[in-house]
Amino acid sequence: MKFLILAKRKFYSVRQLMAELSKRKISVDFYTYKDITISVNSGKLSILVGDKNIKHYTHILPRKHSNKIELNIRYILAKYCNKHGIRMLNKDVLLAMPHYTKLYQMYLLSENGIPYLDTLYLSSGQYNKIPKLPYTYPVVLKKIEGHAGNEVWLIHNEKELKTFLYNLKYKRECILQRFAPVNEDVRLMIVGQRVIGAWHRKSLDEFKTTAGEREYKNYDNPPIELKTLGNKVGKLLAVDYGAFDVMYYKGKPHILETNLDASFKAYETKVGTQNDMAKLIIDQMLKSR
């Protein structure tokens, strides 16, 4: 048995996963996405990680990608591992949702009856002709590939929106979302397609719960409606490990975002959970799928 971890660097979650594998005396290599070489020789595809063939590994743990190229590599790895019997974390999610963006999440979740805040995709780039919104300002503007609360802005009126978009360098890569002025949400932690814990986040100085001064609270026993929603989305996407951000709007929980690469540092070090996330993830990876 041989594990491969792919990540930009050895963040907390990666270190915890490597320590858990070491504890179990399971061999593991660490590489970045830049260490991957994909080639075709005499009609046969070859994927190398460093100087090792990808088939050298029985299990692959890909962590956060930084750009579209790395996302494409993850998708190719998912297809390749699916064909060649290599266990890869969240492989089935990538196969079901190859375009892992907020736009594709909007499509997939809403088409399957998952409560999702009203959202508009800006595709034309003609920002002097903003479509009439079915909801009022302020609105939340998001880059469709942003993460960790980056590339998210609160826009107060149409004039501000036009000026902002005109000066934005990624002009066709945004969504507009209804603003729910509650400045708090719940992050559901998912392992094996089900909710195994949660934590509550409250912003103390701005509208985003993922930035600025925040208040964390253990929520490992969320109400049944949150567990039901999280389990439904976990099963829909076939998630091995991830996190879903949920916000209440008009008394009903709505999915804000799904995250395949959620860090669990804050959850373990600030929230006070008893869950050992690295252990749970490795246990899930060792199950046959």
Side-chain angles (χ1 to χ4, degrees):
M1 187 180 298
K2 182 78 171 181
F3 272 68
L4 166 65
I5 295 180
L6 282 172
K8 185 176 181 180
R9 63 175 71 100
K10 293 181 181 179
F11 293 108
Y12 172 89
S13 299
V14 172
R15 296 197 303 271
Q16 294 299 103
L17 289 166
M18 295 183 76
E20 179 64 26
L21 289 166
S22 177
K23 189 188 304 181
R24 301 181 189 218
K25 301 188 183 321
I26 297 175
S27 180
V28 57
D29 285 341
F30 171 84
Y31 284 98
T32 71
Y33 290 95
K34 293 179 180 179
D35 295 315
I36 294 178
T37 302
I38 303 175
S39 62
V40 174
N41 296 301
S42 300
K44 292 185 178 181
L45 182 72
S46 173
I47 302 178
L48 299 181
V49 187
D51 60 355
K52 298 183 179 72
N53 191 292
I54 198 75
K55 292 181 180 179
H56 177 72
Y57 299 99
T58 58
H59 298 74
I60 299 177
L61 297 168
R63 298 296 292 156
K64 188 175 296 179
H65 59 273
S66 301
N67 49 55
K68 288 183 179 179
I69 294 174
E70 293 180 357
L71 175 58
N72 286 337
I73 289 173
R74 286 181 73 167
Y75 181 62
I76 289 170
L77 287 177
K79 296 279 285 185
Y80 191 85
C81 290
N82 192 54
K83 181 177 180 179
H84 294 279
I86 302 170
R87 183 80 163 90
M88 176 175 163
L89 185 72
N90 286 329
K91 167 178 62 67
D92 294 334
V93 186
L94 290 166
L95 294 178
M97 192 164 53
H99 306 290
Y100 190 67
T101 65
K102 291 180 176 66
L103 175 62
Y104 205 79
Q105 290 181 44
M106 175 180 74
Y107 159 75
L108 195 60
L109 296 176
S110 60
E111 279 292 281
N112 285 277
I114 306 299
Y116 194 85
L117 288 178
D118 294 341
T119 303
L120 171 68
Y121 173 56
L122 298 175
S123 60
S124 69
Q126 298 178 4
Y127 301 129
N128 59 331
K129 298 179 181 178
I130 300 295
K132 184 175 181 181
L133 300 179
Y135 37 90
T136 59
Y137 289 90
V139 295
V140 178
L141 178 70
K142 298 180 179 181
K143 184 181 177 185
I144 65 170
E145 293 180 323
H147 61 272
N150 298 320
E151 291 88 33
V152 177
W153 305 275
L154 186 65
I155 305 295
H156 297 87
N157 54 61
E158 184 174 319
K159 181 179 179 181
E160 181 182 338
L161 176 62
K162 288 181 179 179
T163 302
F164 195 94
L165 290 173
Y166 181 79
N167 292 308
L168 210 56
K169 57 185 178 182
Y170 27 76
K171 296 188 183 301
R172 293 191 177 96
E173 299 293 328
C174 295
I175 60 173
L176 280 177
Q177 196 165 66
R178 181 190 288 276
F179 175 56
V182 295
N183 75 314
E184 56 186 299
D185 65 11
V186 175
R187 168 156 283 200
L188 301 175
M189 306 301 291
I190 312 295
V191 177
Q193 305 183 19
R194 66 183 183 86
V195 177
I196 55 89
W199 45 303
H200 178 271
R201 302 180 297 192
K202 183 175 183 179
S203 172
L204 302 179
D205 63 349
E206 62 169 281
F207 76 98
K208 292 187 289 186
T209 59
T210 53
E213 291 295 321
R214 288 165 288 173
E215 183 180 89
Y216 300 105
K217 184 172 66 175
N218 188 299
Y219 209 48
D220 275 338
N221 292 300
I224 188 65
E225 63 180 354
L226 286 183
K227 284 187 176 181
T228 300
L229 178 61
N231 292 344
K232 183 177 180 179
V233 179
K235 185 176 181 180
L236 170 67
L237 301 180
V239 175
D240 288 315
Y241 166 69
F244 304 153
D245 295 338
V246 181
M247 179 177 285
Y248 275 87
Y249 177 69
K250 293 186 176 180
K252 185 177 180 179
H254 289 65
I255 294 285
L256 291 176
E257 189 172 337
T258 66
N259 188 338
L260 297 185
D261 302 302
S263 171
F264 48 81
K265 181 178 181 179
Y267 181 54
E268 289 192 341
T269 63
K270 295 182 180 181
V271 175
T273 180
Q274 297 302 306
N275 285 323
D276 183 335
M277 295 306 300
K279 179 181 183 303
L280 291 171
I281 292 169
I282 299 303
D283 284 345
Q284 173 64 18
M285 286 296 290
L286 294 177
K287 293 179 180 178
S288 60
R289 282 285 296 276

